[in-house]
Amino acid sequence: MYLSKDQTEKTEVTCIRNRADVIYDFKVSFFTMGQLPNFPWNLLERELENDSSSELILDILKQTCLHPLCCKHPPSVRYRRLFLSQLIKRHEASGREPLDELYDALGEVLGVEEGTECYKSYLLPCGEAVSLSESTAVISEGTTGLVTWEAALYLAEWALENTHLFTDSVLSLLSYRTVLELGSGVGLTGIAVCRSCSPSSYVFSDCHLSVLHRLRDNVQLNGLDNQNSPRVSVEHLDWEEVTEKQLREIGAATVIAADIVYDPDIIGCLVKLLSKILRCSANGSPPDVYITSTIRNPDTYNSFKHQLESSGIQHEVMTGPVTHVFFYNRQATIEMIKLYI
């Protein structure tokens, strides 16, 4: 079939865009250590059918294992081994000549010993990356707070679409906006907010000493401190012992939290804390409070909502983020609610 010049150019542009999208998807998935079966292998195989060269495989390698970010903040050794093995498998299945760069990259990681820590990097729309030191184990040092969970990514995406709730307003007398985050974990949501939403100050908080140590390291790793804007601090916040005086001193205009509703034993003290926060006005107005939860156990989550209601706290279910920025399991049931009295 004859194609006009315009049709030919459009086809070429589409092919270039599809190729670029495949490379970017691999890059995003790799640096967040996404599950390998969820990578766009089918798209890669389709592109390889239409291209006899090994350039696409080499480009993916350059944007993953050979990327400067991987040299500086690498995913776990085991993960890189598995990823390279899968990439080699697809390359060999296409019938192409062996690619030395692939085997050299695999040879490098085969000689490296696996550690207890690794890095995950999350690419922001501005092109910058939030890099986090995380534990290679889901449960480490008696806590689940040393890894990033889906609700934190969901909340970060939502914040990127609602920057006005975190950014100082030149039209408001309450222009100085402090954000308090409960249960910050390794810091993904807060660092993304600080990088993209420009609050005046941001208070990360947690209660587990190992989490706080990792959190401080990650905040410093991403170039945040209490000297430059936004001014940040990392605070030990015990939900049972924190006083209204301490909360007033923080003076948060916005309070956020992700994945803090998971243990029925702590719901009581959490609800008491939220009640204190909602009654501690910042400059005369109660703070905006947003809680994001992955609903793993409906009974636990319903108990949380029931105790909120019994304490005189109402809630409104918020619409989730529209734009997919981060790579995570979107089949998980996640809900965000806004609290008010």
Side-chain angles (χ1 to χ4, degrees):
M1 182 179 67
Y2 173 76
L3 295 178
S4 68
K5 181 179 179 181
D6 287 345
Q7 288 174 318
T8 301
E9 289 177 350
K10 287 180 181 178
T11 301
E12 290 175 351
V13 169
T14 300
C15 290
I16 293 171
R17 185 170 64 246
N18 289 343
R19 183 188 183 95
D21 288 344
V22 170
I23 295 170
Y24 184 77
D25 286 348
F26 268 86
K27 180 180 180 180
V28 170
S29 304
F30 174 80
F31 281 110
T32 58
M33 288 179 59
Q35 294 184 8
L36 290 175
N38 294 333
F39 275 56
W41 299 110
N42 59 326
L43 297 180
L44 171 61
E45 291 165 357
R46 188 178 67 190
E47 289 294 318
L48 290 176
E49 290 176 0
N50 300 322
D51 184 356
S52 59
S53 73
S54 297
E55 289 184 7
L56 179 56
I57 292 285
L58 189 56
D59 286 342
I60 290 174
L61 185 63
K62 289 177 179 178
Q63 291 298 316
T64 53
C65 292
L66 300 185
H67 193 278
L69 183 59
C70 187
C71 298
K72 189 176 182 181
H73 303 307
S76 75
V77 173
R78 180 175 182 272
Y79 186 82
R80 282 178 282 154
R81 288 174 187 161
L82 292 172
F83 171 75
L84 285 166
S85 296
Q86 289 295 320
L87 201 57
I88 289 172
K89 177 182 176 181
R90 263 64 181 197
H91 184 259
E92 291 178 344
S94 68
R96 288 166 171 77
E97 290 294 321
L99 194 61
D100 290 343
E101 289 87 347
L102 276 176
Y103 295 96
D104 290 344
L106 181 59
E108 286 187 17
V109 295
L110 285 175
V112 178
E113 185 177 346
E114 181 70 272
T116 58
E117 299 177 9
C118 63
Y119 290 95
K120 292 183 182 179
S121 297
Y122 302 86
L123 303 182
L124 297 173
C126 63
E128 296 181 357
V130 174
S131 294
L132 304 174
S133 171
E134 299 192 7
S135 172
T136 54
V138 172
I139 299 177
S140 177
E141 300 181 50
T143 178
T144 58
L146 295 174
V147 296
T148 297
W149 295 93
E150 288 91 348
L153 293 160
Y154 182 102
L155 177 55
E157 285 185 337
W158 183 84
L160 295 177
E161 291 184 353
N162 294 273
T163 57
H164 62 283
L165 296 172
F166 304 92
T167 305
D168 295 344
S169 172
V170 296
L171 301 177
S172 172
L173 296 175
L174 308 177
S175 60
Y176 185 86
R177 183 172 290 272
T178 295
V179 179
L180 167 64
E181 183 182 3
L182 306 175
S184 299
V186 292
L188 181 278
T189 300
I191 295 170
V193 168
C194 289
R195 287 279 195 85
S196 303
C197 303
S198 302
S200 290
S201 63
Y202 195 99
V203 180
F204 296 83
S205 74
D206 215 293
C207 65
H208 197 287
L209 295 181
S210 295
V211 175
L212 286 167
H213 179 73
R214 185 70 58 88
L215 180 56
R216 291 190 178 97
D217 287 347
N218 282 334
V219 167
Q220 185 177 13
L221 180 70
N222 287 275
L224 301 173
D225 56 44
N226 62 359
Q227 302 298 320
N228 301 293
S229 182
R231 293 188 300 276
V232 305
S233 62
V234 178
E235 306 291 343
H236 178 268
L237 196 68
D238 188 310
W239 295 354
E240 292 185 296
E241 297 181 3
V242 65
T243 65
E244 291 189 10
K245 180 182 178 182
Q246 289 174 295
L247 294 172
R248 288 196 181 93
E249 288 174 351
I250 293 173
T254 303
V255 179
I256 60 174
D259 240 337
I260 59 173
V261 184
Y262 57 88
D263 184 351
D265 293 336
I266 64 171
I267 288 178
C269 67
L270 171 59
V271 171
K272 289 179 182 178
L273 170 63
L274 294 172
S275 181
K276 288 179 184 177
I277 288 173
L278 286 164
R279 288 170 173 78
C280 288
S281 301
N283 298 314
S285 300
D288 296 322
V289 180
Y290 301 93
I291 309 295
T292 306
S293 304
T294 301
I295 305 175
R296 300 179 183 86
N297 186 324
D299 290 339
T300 300
Y301 191 62
N302 290 334
S303 174
F304 169 63
K305 286 186 171 181
H306 177 72
Q307 291 193 45
L308 286 174
E309 184 179 348
S310 298
S311 298
I313 301 174
Q314 300 183 60
H315 73 273
E316 172 189 357
V317 177
M318 306 297 293
T319 302
V322 175
T323 305
H324 292 183
V325 177
F326 304 116
F327 183 88
Y328 62 94
N329 176 20
R330 297 185 182 275
Q331 301 304 312
T333 303
I334 301 175
E335 183 175 271
M336 173 186 286
I337 58 175
K338 179 179 181 180
L339 307 184
Y340 56 96
I341 53 176

